[in-house]
Amino acid sequence: MNEPKGLFPATPATSRNAGIGPFKRLVLRGATMIDGTGAPPSGPYDIVVENGRITELKLVGAPLKAINPKIRPSPGDHEIDCHGKFVTPGLIDCHSHVGTPYHSMSGVVPPADYIYKLWLAHGVTTVREMGSMNGLSYMMQQREAAERNEIAAPRMVLHSYFPAVNERIKTIFTPDQAREWVRKIKARGVDGIKFFGAPPAIMQAALEEAKEQGLKTGCHHAQMAVTQVNALTSARWGLTSSEHYYGIPEALFENRVVQNFPTDYNYGDEYFRFSVSGQMFAQAASPGSRKWNDVLHEFLELGHTFVPTFNIYDANRDLMRARRADWHGDYSWKSVWRYFQPQRGGHGAYWYRWSVANEIEWKRNYQIWMQFVNDYKNLGGRVCAGSDSGFIYQIYGFGLIRELELLQEAGFHPLEVLRSATSQGAELLGIEDDTGSIDVGKRADLLVHDFNPLEDFKLMYGTGAVRLNDDTGKVEWHRSLRYTIRAGLIYDTHELLEQVKQMVNESWQEDNADRPPRR
Ligand SMILES: [Zn+2]
C-alpha cells in the first residue's frame, strides 16, 4: 500500500448502502417514550411517522395492561414492535469533526462513510461540524447529500474555521477583513463559525457581525489568545458557546492574569500544552466563592452555552483506560489508531512522558471543572454534549456515549444527560422546532432501545455493557440501541456495526503488527 505524503481529507460518501425508508406511514407500537425534554419515561405510546415527521403520539394504555386494539392508530406501511422497548430522540453531537486531514500523517485516512456509520450506530442523528476542515465545498456537498438521504449520515450543521491565529491558518489581520469574511461565508451557506481565539478587535468585530448575520459561533479559547480574550469576554461580545474548558479558568482568575506557565513552556510541544492545562482550575477562584458565582451568573445572563467535551481529555486522567478501551480492536481504523500513538508534531499524541503526576492533576482538574458545569446546569444554563472524537484515543460514536457517562459523573441525572444530548443540543443549533425531542410536527429522529438507556449509558456502546447471565454462568454483552431512525429512515445498528468492522479489517489487512487486541 502506498503511504500518502502531505495532508488530505477523507473520501466523501457518495451512495447509501444502509437504511430503509423513509416510509409514507411508519408506526412504532407500544413504546415507553423518553422524550428528551427532561420528562420521565412514559407509555405505552404508538408513534406515527409520516414522510419523516411525527404526526401522532398516542398513549394507548397503561403499563402491564392489555392494549385495546380499537384505540390504536391505523396500520402503517412499515411498523416496528416497540412493546417492552424504549424510544428516545436521536442524539446530537455538538462538537464533531468528519475526520481530520491530520490522520494522513499516519497512513490512509478513513473514508467519511466509516465516521458517519459509527455515528449512526451510536444514535447520533445530528452533528455540529466544528471547523469543516475537509473544506467548505466538500462539507456542504455532504450536508446536502445527507439531507436528501443519498448517503447514510447524520444531519450536519456546519461551522467554518475562523482563520485569525498565528499557530494555524491566518488570513485575517484587521476587523474589517473579519467582518467581510463573516459576510462571505454567510453568503456561501454555512451555519456558524468556529473560533480558536483572535486579537480582541478582530474577535469582537467577527462576533458582532456573526450575530448580525444570524450565524452561531463557538470558540476553543486557545492558550495563545486566551489572555487577551477569555470565555467571558467572548460571551459579552455575543459568542454562542464555549467549547472544551479553555477560557473558563481564565475568567475565574483572582490573583493572576496569565496562568502559571513554566518558563520552559512551548505551546508547540503538546506535552506542555496538555499537562499544564491540567493545572488551570486549581489556579482559579474556588467553587462556591463569590467570584465563582458571579462568573456563573454573568454567563447565565448572557445566555451562554457550554459544550465541555469531557471525553476528549479522558486519557489525561487515565491513559491506559482510554488506550485499552473495549472497542479499539474492532472499530479503530489503522491510521487513526496510529495517529493516537506518542509522536512529535501531531495533535493529541503527547504521551512521550505522561506520568502519574499528570494524571492526578487532571483528575483534580476534572472535579472542579465538572462542578462548574454542573452548577451552571443547576442555575438553568445550557450545557450540551459534544465528543470531538478522532483525537486522543476517542473513536467516533463511542466518544459521545462516553460523554454521556461523564456528564452523569459531573452530577447530571440521566434524564438531564439525555436532555443535554438532545433538546438542549437542538436549541444550541437553532433547530429545536425540527428535532431534539419527541413531539408532533418534529422530524422523526428517533432511537429504539432494547433496554432502558437511563439505567446504564454503557448499554449504548457499539460493544455494549458487560453482564453476567446468572442462569448460564456466562458473560454476555448487552447492547440497547437497535434502530437509529433519522428523518424517518431506519438504520439497523447491527448492520452498521458489521459494515464498520469490515472496513476496519480492510484498513489493517497488511502491516498489522500494532493492531490493538479485539475483544
Ligand atoms: Zn474539535
Side-chain angles (χ1 to χ4, degrees):
M1 198 187 292
N2 250 343
E3 295 295 298
K5 294 188 180 68
L7 300 180
F8 61 92
T11 324
T14 53
S15 62
R16 183 161 66 81
N17 62 349
I20 55 167
F23 299 93
K24 223 171 153 216
R25 183 179 167 87
L26 164 69
V27 186
L28 311 187
R29 298 279 184 194
T32 301
M33 179 173 85
I34 311 170
D35 75 2
T37 65
S42 165
Y45 276 94
D46 282 4
I47 303 169
V48 181
V49 175
E50 288 173 314
N51 301 314
R53 284 197 184 265
I54 301 167
T55 53
E56 190 180 357
L57 283 178
K58 172 95 177 165
L59 185 65
V60 292
L64 303 177
K65 188 171 178 247
I67 297 171
N68 174 5
K70 286 193 189 135
I71 66 160
R72 307 194 88 157
S74 56
D77 53 345
H78 189 86
E79 300 209 350
I80 302 176
D81 180 0
C82 293
H83 296 92
K85 297 185 197 289
F86 296 79
V87 173
T88 67
L91 306 182
I92 301 179
D93 189 335
C94 286
H95 191 120
S96 69
H97 302 282
V98 180
T100 167
Y102 288 147
H103 291 152
S104 60
M105 289 170 65
S106 305
V108 177
V109 299
D113 196 37
Y114 159 81
I115 295 158
Y116 298 153
K117 283 182 175 155
L118 278 172
W119 278 335
L120 290 170
H122 288 87
V124 178
T125 52
T126 303
V127 297
R128 177 177 178 238
E129 221 291 359
M130 290 305 278
S132 304
M133 300 300 228
N134 290 332
L136 213 45
S137 305
Y138 175 118
M139 286 312 307
M140 293 204 296
Q141 186 277 331
Q142 294 285 279
R143 181 182 66 182
E144 306 328 321
E147 211 50 43
R148 289 193 299 265
N149 290 328
E150 289 166 7
I151 59 174
R155 173 193 198 145
M156 295 177 219
V157 172
L158 305 181
H159 281 226
S160 185
Y161 164 76
F162 185 70
V165 283
N166 286 320
E167 71 275 21
R168 290 170 191 258
I169 308 155
K170 184 167 181 173
T171 57
I172 292 171
F173 301 90
T174 69
D176 281 345
Q177 286 173 343
R179 288 182 184 278
E180 196 190 310
W181 182 90
V182 172
R183 289 192 292 266
K184 206 175 76 196
I185 59 140
K186 166 72 182 181
R188 282 193 71 186
V190 306
D191 305 300
I193 303 168
K194 161 79 174 286
F195 292 89
F196 282 93
I202 292 176
M203 189 81 178
Q204 187 173 3
L207 286 169
E208 286 172 0
E209 187 66 35
K211 204 159 194 187
E212 210 145 293
Q213 299 291 331
L215 288 174
K216 303 272 184 177
T217 48
C219 184
H220 164 157
H221 291 88
Q223 280 95 332
M224 292 301 290
V226 74
T227 300
Q228 296 186 82
V229 182
N230 66 41
L232 191 54
T233 324
S234 300
R236 287 176 187 144
W237 292 337
L239 179 71
T240 316
S241 67
S242 289
E243 309 297 306
H244 319 302
Y245 60 91
Y246 308 105
I248 301 170
E250 289 84 352
L252 289 165
F253 280 167
E254 283 182 304
N255 55 7
R256 65 184 67 251
V257 178
V258 176
Q259 78 174 90
N260 187 18
F261 288 113
T263 49
D264 60 343
Y265 183 99
N266 185 329
Y267 186 71
D269 181 332
E270 285 211 350
Y271 172 75
F272 281 109
R273 181 175 154 190
F274 284 92
S275 62
V276 169
S277 62
Q279 305 162 352
M280 302 281 304
F281 275 103
Q283 295 166 26
S286 306
S289 65
R290 187 171 171 165
K291 175 89 176 181
W292 175 275
N293 290 329
D294 286 351
V295 166
L296 278 169
H297 278 101
E298 191 172 351
F299 276 122
L300 189 68
E301 276 154 31
L302 292 164
H304 199 64
T305 298
F306 290 106
V307 185
T309 70
F310 289 126
N311 78 99
I312 199 65
Y313 309 102
D314 209 14
N316 291 352
R317 59 178 197 167
D318 191 349
L319 175 58
M320 196 189 331
R321 174 191 213 290
R323 198 181 64 219
R324 305 291 289 182
D326 292 328
W327 41 86
H328 285 311
D330 277 325
Y331 297 104
S332 291
W333 182 273
K334 182 157 80 174
S335 66
V336 176
W337 175 253
R338 288 188 174 171
Y339 187 71
F340 293 157
Q341 307 312 312
Q343 58 175 305
R344 298 271 176 185
H347 173 48
Y350 41 89
W351 313 111
Y352 29 87
R353 51 187 281 211
W354 204 253
S355 69
V356 62
N358 296 135
E359 291 190 353
I360 291 166
E361 279 177 349
W362 264 98
K363 283 176 187 168
R364 295 193 174 135
N365 202 51
Y366 262 83
Q367 285 174 358
I368 309 175
W369 177 23
M370 284 179 158
Q371 186 170 346
F372 183 88
V373 170
N374 195 43
D375 283 358
Y376 194 63
K377 176 264 294 173
N378 290 344
L379 285 170
R382 188 183 300 112
V383 174
C384 297
S387 74
D388 205 11
S389 297
F391 300 102
I392 321 184
Y393 292 106
Q394 297 301 320
I395 295 293
Y396 308 94
F398 293 96
L400 187 68
I401 305 306
R402 180 65 183 147
E403 188 68 11
L404 305 185
E405 285 193 60
L406 291 169
L407 285 164
Q408 188 171 345
E409 184 181 329
F412 287 46
H413 183 282
L415 284 167
E416 293 174 337
V417 173
L418 190 67
R419 172 174 166 263
S420 280
T422 58
S423 59
Q424 297 249 292
E427 279 176 32
L428 168 63
L429 274 53
I431 54 174
E432 69 272 24
D433 292 338
D434 213 34
T435 191
S437 67
I438 305 179
D439 216 342
V440 169
K442 294 208 180 184
R443 276 164 57 131
D445 294 338
L446 301 170
L447 310 182
V448 178
H449 304 259
D450 288 334
F451 302 99
N452 184 352
L454 302 176
E455 203 177 280
D456 185 359
F457 287 119
K458 289 183 195 297
L459 291 163
M460 290 188 71
Y461 286 121
T463 40
V466 70
R467 295 288 186 264
L468 177 67
N469 182 330
D470 281 314
D471 294 330
T472 63
K474 295 233 163 71
V475 167
E476 294 174 355
W477 288 79
H478 290 184
R479 215 166 64 73
S480 75
L481 187 55
R482 190 73 185 84
Y483 298 110
T484 294
I485 304 175
R486 193 199 74 93
L489 205 72
I490 305 168
Y491 293 97
D492 179 329
T493 62
H494 291 290
E495 188 190 325
L496 293 170
L497 290 168
E498 282 311 312
Q499 289 179 350
V500 172
K501 266 192 209 176
Q502 207 175 331
M503 282 188 254
V504 169
N505 281 338
E506 280 162 23
S507 82
W508 285 99
Q509 234 163 30
E510 302 159 41
D511 182 17
N512 64 358
D514 58 331
R515 183 170 186 178
R518 271 164 282 179
R519 199 190 71 208

